[in-house]
Every structure is written in structure tokens, then in C-alpha cells.
Amino acid sequence: MIKLVVLFLLLIFCFTWGFSQNKTAVINGKVLNHENPAIGFYVFLINYRDSAIVKSTTTNNKGYFNFDNLKEGKYLIALINTGYQNKYSEIITIDRDTKLVSLPDLTLKKPDKNLNEVIVSTSKPYIERKLGKTVLNLESNVFGLGSTGFEVFETLPGINIKSTELSLNGKSNIAVFIDDKPSNLTGENLIEYLKNLPTNNIEKIEIIDGNSAKYDAAYNGGIINIKFKKGKNIGTNSTISTGGGLGLNYRYNTSININKRTAKSNLYLNYDFAKIKALDQTFLNRTINSNPLGRSAFSKTIIDVSNNDIKTRNNHSAILGYDYQIDDKQSLSLLMNAFSNRMFSDELNQSLISHDELDSTINSTSLENRLLTNLSGNIRYKKDLDKKGKTFTSAMDFLTFNRNSEEDLNSVYLNHNNAEYKAPLLFNNQTPSKINIISGNIDYAIPTKKALLEFGFKANTVRISNSRMINIQSGKTYIQNPNINFNYQENIIAGYSNYAYKNDKYSISAGLRLEQTFASGDTSVNSSLIDRNYFSLFPNLSLTKQLNKKNKLALNYNKGITRPRYDQINPFSYFLDQFTYNQGNAQLRPSTINSTKLEWELDAKYVFDAHYNYTNNFIYTVYKQDFRNNVAIASMQNFDYRQSIGISLSVPITVAKWYELGLYAEGNKEYFKYLDASNISIFNSSLNASLMLNHNFQLPKAIKATINMLYETPTAYAVYSFKPLYFMNIGFSKTVFDKKGSIRLTATDIFNTNSNRYSTNLAGINLIAKDKTETQSVRLNFSYKIGKQTVKAYQKRKSIVEDEKIRVGQ
């Protein structure tokens, strides 16, 4: 199937490469240097609506320039050259009847020698909220240096993190993109990537709630798009950053960003290194009520687990990108993303076992050496097919992910007198795994004056190979444990069509996506463990109404799917201790989600929404108790449903010229239903709320201060009850060295309150738990920009605002 997809894409590519073109509108003009022709000077054509560079060229030996094959729209001509004042033309409007626009001569001027160069710049707010989209500008925030992607995700509006699950406004099928390309990382692998991803080279993070039929149905829960820094300046420039921090342990990081931009191309490289040593703690108190055979009364066993794990992570990550404008009609972009994470884990686990009083203790030490490597790439080709804006796009993606882990576990058994009562147990566990993903897609876009029709095709294939090799020794006795292999493959073929219409008063977008999934998996002891084929339809609809100059309403409906993650269906077992371990569930079924949301935007900055989501076959972790040996097994299970109805509010408040407050509040009513192994229905529900406050202060001597505060009320989630979550971060920043350098001092989780505390009470088991990572630290970071920073490819203005997008790609 892969060969057919590649052949199909190549045929389409060759066909469109030679597609005949019709001549379209032309803009021409002449540039003068004083009264003489300006030869070899940069000229840029800028889209008036979003300030994006459409095309660029240089003047010829007589000072003339021209841009042809132009679509309908509004444009600006910009002259931006070193040693001269920036020069802009008047707004140029091209409609369907425009053939030629000849501009008056544009004259370059030298800057006034008595004046310093004036650069028009504005500081973007940390959080920008629009209909269907939230943007976090990390470059504008104190915490943009020295943090990790996971730490930033914890403060994202509407984002909730439970274990390895991300959810957005009650929807858990969230995709994480990197520079507009899917990362293809999920679950624990995604969390590990985020925990080791420094933010130094991240420009902004976009949270896009909703979906277009153009994108996979698995992205229905929303898209979190991590956009790395990319040069906007003609020429070569770079930024270097370094810093460190102290808490119970230490961390340090360094990074470099290099950009080389010309009139037709842009080459950029980001490299980050971070070393983080931190303590992870887990506390589990499990009360087991059982009625063993031969006893007339219930017995109660208490297992109290305390786990302290010092993890040392060494992370290297790099992004290499290249964008090239082949000609006026064709562009090509390449993106490579790689990371390598070596983690050493030094773990001490103590399990106290009681029957009314202390019965025995198990002390375990564990040493783990784990290496994660990831390499992903994307190649994208785009071609304009006619003068009306018809376009063809093709793309190929690949990902290879490797995990090699070796763990040595040594357990010592003590009785109530603290004396060994049986031989120690030596446990060696090796679990190598490999994931390979290849996907290809083609897309056509056919615009009319006010509408856009899109349709396309995508094929995706996944191959996963996992192994488990265990060696066990009890005293001098070796316990035979056969090696097990797990292999899984999944193929998805999809097609879509999407129609969007927009005028001055309202817009509508409607689409339908079709996906056929083939999945199979086997182990060395079960050759047909997984065998599923299913076909699904995913409609979506979006309506937006401009009520007046200040008020806008939007109504959205989406249907999507959450397929079980690869690690969730892996049947292997992973031990926390001898009485508690995680196990995959190969019988997990996909869950489907129907989402509806009504949004109201006021004055282009205040946003209120009401949303309802219904998830069938919701997937989450459930503990099951084996009363024969007191082992608790945590595995993913399908719930009957999850319902979520809620509201959210985003309000930026200017308290004073020196003080701005960003407020985000959310309230939800959650319902869960689960059918346990005894066919007993378990219901769980709660009314919960969260409040996020971002205080931004402009202090004397150009010092900026930020206080970030988060509070979540107690909540029910799946079969668990979570206690309140709250923490506060504070930071200061100051520019130095003529604004080329920046120093940032931050203190995270200053009251050391950021932890997950939860409990559950299922049949025969009462569990109380706490997960606490090392979140309290003080960090100092420095960054410095090298190269010409004032020669901008274009200059954003207040009058040229970005056209907010209800859906990805619209």
C-alpha cells in the first residue's frame, strides 16, 4: 500500500508540475535612489490582510520591478533595504477585472543622521484569545526561557492533564503539532517529549479548538501547535540562550537558533540541550477488603507504597527547516525534527503490608537506563494552478521512534521484626520498542470570489514492534520467564471534502471526512490478538455571524474519534512494585466524540463559550484487584460514556498603564459511567471549575514582572476523585545590551503545591494516591541576539491584523 501511495503522489506531482497557467494580474513599478534608478534593491509584495510576504524580487538594471500571476486581494509594496528608510506603497486592490497596476515611482531615502533608527514594534500579550483559537506568545513572556514544554502545557487555558492524558474543554483526543505538522507522538511518549523539550526556541503555542474535515478525525479534540522560532529578517541572524536552576536538584540548558533568509528562501536550525535532575514521588495507600474461602468475616489488608525516583534526563533536540519559492507558482518546504533523551532512574520503593498491624515490608531499589530517540520529517510541495487561486498541495511525513530500556530491580523482604524472611528477588527487565509511521496526502483548493472548496486524500501506515525480556532470580534459583514479542500494524485511508463561504456578515464551513481503518496485532503466544476493520464518517459544521462591529457569534459541531494509543494496547506488564503494576489492554475499542460549542466574541478580545461533549467508549485507567495475591493491576478500560457540559470566559483587563491582567475561567459538569467486571454500573460526576490569572507588570528601569496563578476545584474524573490543584509562578525579565540581550529570573511553584492527589473506591479496593514531581525551583536564563535585527522582511501594524481563523487551515 505504501508503494501505491508514493506512486500516486508522484504521478499527481508530475501532472501538476506541468499544468498550464493562465496569465493573471500584474503589478509593476520603478524604484529611484534620489533621482537615479535603484539597481538590485529588495522589493516585497505583502498581503494587506495578514502582513505575510507573498513574493519578493529585486530591481533590474533600470530600477524596474514587477509581480505577476497575482490573485484577487489587497496588497502593499514594501522597500526594505539596509541603510535606507522603509518605504511602503498605498494599498493596492486587485479584483477579477484587474489586469495591470502601474505604480508611481517609489523613491528611497537615507535615514536622518541625527536620529537613531526607529523601529516600530509592539509587545504581544502572553495570551491572545480569539474565536476557536488561543495563542501563547512565549517570546513575550518571562517563562519563555528555561522552562519545558510540559511546564507550559500545565498553564494552558482549558488544558487538563491527568496522568498521560491531555484534554481540552472536556475532549481528550488532542493532537500535538510541531510547526504545523503532526508530531505523531501520544501518551507517555508525548509526555516524555514535552518534559524534555526546552522552551528557549519556541516562539508561540497555538491552541485550536475544533477541526476541519481536512484534518484527521482523531484531531477532533483540538490541536496544540508548537511553533518554533523562524527568522523574519533578510540576511543571517541567530539567538543563543543559556541558563540553569536549582530546586531539590538542578537543571541547566543551552540553545541556539540560526536563520538565513533570502528573497526566495529561508533556512533555519534550532538546537537545544537540557539536563534536568528531578525527584518524582508516588504515594499509594490501598485498602483491600476480601472474604477468602473458609472465613466467615471480611479481612482487610493495607498496602502502603512510598516511591522516590530521582530521574536524570539528558536531552538533545534539533529542528532543521528549509522553505524555497521555486518560482511565482511553486514552493517547496522541508522539515526535520530529531531528539535524543537518555534517562537514568535511581528508584527507592517501600511497601508496608498490614493486617490490623504491620505484617511485613518490601524494600526495593531500581536502576533504569532508558534511551529514547525520535526522527521525523516532512516534505511539502505547493503549486498554484490558475489565476483564481486554485492550488494543489502534496506532502509526505515519516516518523521513526525507538525506545530501549533496561531495569534492574532488587527486592528485600522483611518481617514485622525487620528481619529477612525469604530470599531477595533480582529482577532484570528489558523492553525495546520501535514505531515507524509513514503518511502521504494530496489536497486541492478551489476558491471562488467568496467561497472555498477543498478536497483531498490521505493514507497512513503504522508499524510497531515491542519486546519484553525478563530475567528473574530468587536467591540462587532462576525463574524461567519466556520472552514475548508484540507486533502491531494499522493502516488508515481517508478522503474528505470541505466547503467554506464567507461574506461581510457571516461565514459557513461544512465538511465530511471518510476513514477506513485496518488494525491487526499479535504476540508470540497469540497470533490473532487484534483484528479490526471499521469504516467511519465524520461530519463537521461551523457557522459564524458578525452581529455588529463589536459582537460576533460562532456555532460549531464536530464528530471525531480517539483510537487506543499504541502503548495502551500493548499487553505487557510494567511493575511499580510486586503488588502494583500496569498492564496493556489489547481489547480496547475506539471511542467516538460528538462536540458542540457556541462562542461569543466581544470587541475582538473578550471571548465567552458554552460547550457540550459526549464521548462513547471513553478510555481511561481503572485499577482491578486480584484477591488471590493482593496485586492491583492498572489498565485502560472502555467506559460506557463521558459527558461534559461547561462554559468558559477569557477577559484581558488593563488595570493601569503598568499593570495588565489576563483572566481565564472555566466551569464544567462532568458525568462518567463505567461497567465493571461484575457488570455493576459505576457512576461518577462532579461540578468543577478552574481559574487562571496572569498578572503582567511594567516596572521601573524597563523591568517586566509576571505572576502566573492557577486553581482547580475538586473534580471527578473517570472513577477517581481529584483534590484541588493550585500553584503560583513568578518571574522577572529585563532587556540588556541595547535590547539584544534578555535576562529572566523565575521562581516556579513557589509554595510547592503542584501535585496530583486522588482517590477511588471500587469493589473490594479503596485507593488513595498522590503523584508529586519536583516543580519548585529558582531559574536564571540569558539570551542574546546576533546579527541585524532591524531589517524586517515586513512590519506588522495595528491596521494589518491577523484574520482570526475558526478552523485550522481556514
Side-chain angles (χ1 to χ4, degrees):
M1 190 197 74
I2 299 174
K3 293 180 180 179
L4 290 176
V5 171
V6 173
L7 179 60
F8 182 63
L9 291 174
L10 288 174
L11 289 174
I12 294 294
F13 179 87
C14 296
F15 172 74
T16 55
W17 188 280
F19 200 93
S20 61
Q21 305 293 306
N22 294 322
K23 190 174 180 180
T24 54
V26 174
I27 298 174
N28 62 26
K30 184 177 182 180
V31 182
L32 299 176
N33 185 3
H34 297 293
E35 296 181 355
N36 301 316
I39 302 172
F41 280 74
Y42 286 117
V43 184
F44 298 91
L45 179 67
I46 296 175
N47 188 318
Y48 177 75
R49 291 180 64 85
D50 59 10
S51 299
I53 298 175
V54 180
K55 297 182 180 184
S56 61
T57 187
T58 56
T59 55
N60 63 18
N61 58 4
K62 294 184 179 179
Y64 288 101
F65 68 89
N66 79 86
F67 296 106
D68 59 6
N69 295 306
L70 301 181
K71 306 172 186 177
E72 296 178 24
K74 293 184 178 182
Y75 301 93
L76 291 172
I77 296 295
L79 307 177
I80 304 172
N81 291 270
T82 305
Y84 292 87
Q85 295 182 16
N86 293 348
K87 177 76 174 181
Y88 298 93
S89 71
E90 297 297 324
I91 300 172
I92 305 165
T93 301
I94 292 179
D95 55 32
R96 64 175 59 187
D97 298 321
T98 304
K99 299 298 183 184
L100 175 65
V101 177
S102 294
L103 299 176
D105 292 348
L106 301 171
T107 302
L108 292 167
K109 292 183 179 180
K110 287 280 188 178
D112 191 334
K113 294 182 180 180
N114 297 321
L115 295 176
N116 292 327
E117 183 175 12
V118 177
I119 303 173
V120 180
S121 64
T122 58
S123 179
K124 294 181 179 179
Y126 175 45
I127 298 179
E128 294 181 281
R129 180 87 188 273
K130 297 292 183 182
L131 290 182
K133 185 176 182 179
T134 302
V135 179
L136 278 79
N137 298 297
L138 291 190
E139 287 188 309
S140 304
N141 188 260
V142 173
F143 303 103
L145 285 178
S147 300
T148 67
F150 183 82
E151 291 167 337
V152 171
F153 271 46
E154 287 187 305
T155 65
L156 296 183
I159 293 293
N160 191 286
I161 303 176
K162 295 287 189 292
S163 184
T164 58
E165 298 289 331
L166 297 176
S167 64
L168 173 63
N169 293 332
K171 296 179 291 183
S172 57
N173 52 339
I174 299 176
V176 175
F177 277 43
I178 298 173
D179 278 338
D180 304 313
K181 314 295 189 304
S183 67
N184 290 312
L185 294 174
T186 59
E188 183 182 355
N189 295 334
L190 174 61
I191 295 299
E192 280 300 313
Y193 173 72
L194 295 175
K195 284 184 176 180
N196 294 283
L197 175 66
T199 56
N200 295 10
N201 277 327
I202 297 177
E203 178 184 1
K204 61 184 177 181
I205 297 176
E206 299 172 333
I207 309 170
I208 305 164
D209 186 7
N211 192 21
S212 162
K214 181 177 180 179
Y215 295 88
D216 292 358
Y219 306 158
N220 166 269
I223 291 174
I224 300 176
N225 188 23
I226 303 173
K227 296 185 74 72
F228 286 86
K229 295 176 183 177
K230 186 187 296 188
K232 299 182 177 68
N233 304 321
I234 294 295
T236 303
N237 56 75
S238 64
T239 302
I240 56 173
S241 304
T242 188
L246 287 174
L248 288 174
N249 294 283
Y250 64 87
R251 62 169 61 204
Y252 58 86
N253 63 86
T254 185
S255 65
I256 185 169
N257 163 255
I258 302 174
N259 303 276
K260 181 176 178 58
R261 179 182 283 273
T262 68
K264 297 188 68 173
S265 67
N266 184 35
L267 176 67
Y268 55 99
L269 170 67
N270 295 332
Y271 169 75
D272 290 279
F273 170 76
K275 183 169 185 176
I276 302 174
K277 185 177 182 180
L279 173 65
D280 288 350
Q281 294 177 295
T282 300
F283 304 97
L284 293 173
N285 183 282
R286 184 157 49 94
T287 301
I288 307 165
N289 296 303
S290 60
N291 186 11
L293 296 175
R295 294 187 183 180
S296 58
F298 280 94
S299 65
K300 183 170 71 172
T301 302
I302 299 176
I303 300 178
D304 201 348
V305 179
S306 175
N307 184 277
N308 292 273
D309 186 1
I310 297 178
K311 289 184 170 70
T312 304
R313 296 181 172 96
N314 295 276
N315 187 73
H316 301 266
S317 60
I319 287 182
L320 176 65
Y322 182 67
D323 303 318
Y324 182 68
Q325 191 71 36
I326 301 171
D327 54 31
D328 291 340
K329 309 173 189 65
Q330 302 174 96
S331 63
L332 184 69
S333 64
L334 304 171
L335 180 68
M336 298 292 292
N337 180 17
F339 75 81
S340 171
N341 170 244
R342 171 77 69 178
M343 188 201 75
F344 299 95
S345 172
D346 187 354
E347 188 175 350
L348 175 62
N349 189 90
Q350 185 178 69
S351 300
L352 304 177
I353 305 170
S354 305
H355 297 89
D356 298 326
E357 61 183 20
L358 181 63
D359 179 65
S360 60
T361 302
I362 303 175
N363 291 328
S364 301
T365 58
S366 170
L367 296 176
E368 182 183 3
N369 184 352
R370 187 184 68 195
L371 176 64
L372 303 178
T373 59
N374 176 88
L375 177 65
S376 61
N378 170 272
I379 178 170
R380 179 177 180 269
Y381 167 77
K382 183 179 180 181
K383 185 172 185 178
D384 298 332
L385 298 178
D386 65 12
K387 64 180 181 180
K388 294 182 179 180
K390 184 187 298 183
T391 60
F392 165 82
T393 305
S394 64
M396 291 290 291
D397 292 88
F398 78 89
L399 176 141
T400 177
F401 180 89
N402 290 278
R403 172 181 174 138
N404 289 285
S405 176
E406 182 170 2
E407 179 183 16
D408 291 309
L409 179 68
N410 184 7
S411 296
V412 177
Y413 302 88
L414 307 175
N415 60 22
H416 64 281
N417 292 320
N418 209 34
E420 289 191 38
Y421 67 89
K422 73 173 186 176
L425 183 70
L426 302 179
F427 182 98
N428 176 266
N429 184 28
Q430 299 178 54
T431 54
S433 64
K434 186 174 184 178
I435 301 174
N436 288 305
I437 301 175
I438 299 176
S439 66
N441 64 278
I442 56 173
D443 301 284
Y444 279 94
I446 305 174
T448 61
K449 187 173 183 180
K450 292 185 177 180
L452 175 66
L453 175 63
E454 296 176 293
F455 58 92
F457 168 83
K458 179 178 181 179
N460 183 81
T461 183
V462 180
R463 296 290 184 272
I464 300 175
S465 175
N466 296 275
S467 298
R468 187 186 69 175
M469 295 167 280
I470 298 178
N471 298 302
I472 301 176
Q473 180 179 351
S474 178
K476 296 182 179 180
T477 303
Y478 288 90
I479 302 174
Q480 293 293 328
N481 199 80
N483 297 339
I484 300 178
N485 298 316
F486 172 64
N487 297 296
Y488 177 79
Q489 62 182 33
E490 182 179 273
N491 300 308
I492 302 174
I493 300 175
Y496 78 92
S497 178
N498 198 77
Y499 176 80
Y501 174 85
K502 184 176 182 179
N503 61 26
D504 295 336
K505 294 294 184 180
Y506 66 90
S507 65
I508 180 172
S509 174
L512 180 65
R513 186 175 184 88
L514 300 80
E515 293 188 354
Q516 174 69 51
T517 303
F518 305 90
S520 63
D522 59 72
T523 68
S524 50
V525 294
N526 189 336
S527 60
S528 58
L529 188 65
I530 300 173
D531 186 9
R532 296 193 187 99
N533 300 322
Y534 53 91
F535 175 78
S536 306
L537 296 175
F538 301 100
N540 70 81
L541 177 66
S542 173
L543 300 170
T544 304
K545 174 70 173 177
Q546 187 76 47
L547 302 178
N548 51 46
K549 290 183 178 180
K550 291 190 174 182
N551 289 274
K552 185 187 293 185
L553 282 178
L555 177 64
N556 305 309
Y557 165 77
N558 286 277
K559 181 182 178 182
I561 190 171
T562 301
R563 296 178 178 87
R565 297 198 314 261
Y566 313 130
D567 59 308
Q568 293 174 342
I569 57 177
N570 183 343
F572 296 167
S573 299
Y574 299 91
F575 293 86
L576 175 64
D577 62 35
Q578 277 190 264
F579 295 98
T580 313
Y581 58 89
N582 297 320
Q583 187 177 63
N585 180 5
Q587 303 308 311
L588 277 179
R589 302 183 303 277
S591 59
T592 55
I593 179 169
N594 288 272
S595 308
T596 305
K597 182 170 68 169
L598 176 66
E599 291 182 288
W600 169 39
E601 182 183 275
L602 173 63
D603 206 20
K605 60 180 180 180
Y606 306 107
V607 178
F608 170 85
D609 78 58
H611 51 265
Y612 173 76
N613 307 305
Y614 184 92
T615 305
N616 187 47
N617 288 327
F618 173 68
I619 300 172
Y620 201 68
T621 305
V622 175
Y623 278 91
K624 291 186 177 181
Q625 180 66 47
D626 188 336
F627 295 105
R628 296 169 300 177
N629 52 22
N630 287 333
V631 168
I633 304 170
S635 63
M636 289 292 179
Q637 300 293 328
N638 284 114
F639 285 59
D640 280 16
Y641 62 77
R642 175 192 182 187
Q643 290 187 84
S644 175
I645 182 169
I647 59 174
S648 71
L649 176 67
S650 179
V651 180
I653 303 171
T654 301
V655 182
K657 290 183 178 179
W658 51 271
Y659 174 28
E660 291 187 351
L661 172 65
L663 180 150
Y664 179 85
E666 181 182 0
N668 290 285
K669 179 68 174 179
E670 296 264 25
Y671 301 88
F672 298 87
K673 180 186 176 183
Y674 173 66
L675 192 67
D676 69 7
S678 302
N679 289 323
I680 298 175
S681 295
I682 299 173
F683 296 91
N684 199 10
S685 66
S686 72
L687 181 64
N688 56 76
S690 64
L691 176 65
M692 179 185 296
L693 298 173
N694 282 286
H695 308 265
N696 298 289
F697 305 93
Q698 185 66 57
L699 304 179
K701 297 185 179 181
I703 296 175
K704 293 182 179 180
T706 297
I707 300 176
N708 171 252
M709 305 168 68
L710 176 69
Y711 176 79
E712 294 180 3
T713 63
T715 181
Y717 196 86
V719 293
Y720 303 93
S721 295
F722 283 83
K723 290 189 174 182
L725 171 67
Y726 45 90
F727 59 85
M728 183 169 76
N729 306 318
I730 186 169
F732 301 88
S733 69
K734 178 175 174 57
T735 57
V736 293
F737 302 131
D738 195 25
K739 296 186 178 181
K740 292 185 177 180
S742 174
I743 298 176
R744 307 189 193 192
L745 175 66
T746 59
T748 61
D749 193 15
I750 59 177
F751 298 113
N752 202 27
T753 55
N754 188 358
S755 64
N756 258 332
R757 299 171 296 159
Y758 56 96
S759 62
T760 186
N761 191 358
L762 298 172
I765 178 173
N766 189 319
L767 176 71
I768 300 174
K770 177 182 177 180
D771 298 327
K772 180 75 178 80
T773 59
E774 188 176 326
T775 52
Q776 186 182 53
S777 67
V778 177
R779 307 170 191 176
L780 180 65
N781 287 272
F782 171 75
S783 69
Y784 185 78
K785 298 178 180 179
I786 302 172
K788 186 70 173 176
Q789 304 296 320
T790 59
V791 184
K792 297 294 182 182
Y794 63 93
Q795 185 64 56
K796 288 242 180 185
R797 305 183 184 87
K798 286 292 185 180
S799 60
I800 309 178
V801 297
E802 182 183 17
D803 187 22
E804 57 96 301
K805 300 173 183 178
I806 301 300
R807 292 287 179 269
V808 183
Q810 295 183 17

